[in-house]
Amino acid sequence: MTLQICPICQEKEFIWYMSEDEAGQETTMWRCMACNYGAQEDEQLERPCQHCKDGMESQLTDLHRVYWWCYRCHRTTNI
């Protein structure tokens, strides 16, 4: 796992892990070790990055919003 830049605090402390829900389904979760920000990734929703064109954007959901996030350029786009 590679540390990524957190979309909230901009520190290179954003990491993913797998979590299992009550039904036994695995979900990709993201957590920032610097600011404790957390989001859930929908792995079925990916698209080429609208900004850098080199990376892929994943759809992340947190308590307040759903947005696209690029692992390459670290930019976000609200849905």
Side-chain angles (χ1 to χ4, degrees):
M1 276 183 263
T2 304
L3 289 173
Q4 298 289 337
I5 295 175
C6 175
I8 302 302
C9 72
Q10 305 303 308
E11 294 293 326
K12 193 172 184 177
E13 299 286 335
F14 204 41
I15 194 164
W16 64 269
Y17 62 94
M18 300 304 291
S19 178
E20 193 171 296
D21 65 15
E22 303 83 36
Q25 293 196 331
E26 287 192 333
T27 302
T28 303
M29 303 297 293
W30 286 86
R31 176 75 52 198
C32 178
M33 295 183 297
C35 70
N36 205 32
Y37 170 72
Q40 178 178 332
E41 178 181 351
D42 186 335
E43 291 192 35
Q44 296 183 9
L45 296 175
E46 286 188 336
R47 68 182 187 186
C49 181
Q50 307 295 302
H51 304 283
C52 71
K53 311 290 189 235
D54 292 326
M56 293 295 288
E57 290 180 306
S58 297
Q59 191 177 101
L60 299 183
T61 303
D62 64 26
L63 294 174
H64 306 287
R65 66 182 180 145
V66 178
Y67 61 97
W68 294 101
W69 172 76
C70 177
Y71 73 90
R72 170 89 66 184
C73 71
H74 311 290
R75 291 179 71 180
T76 62
T77 305
N78 290 329
I79 292 179

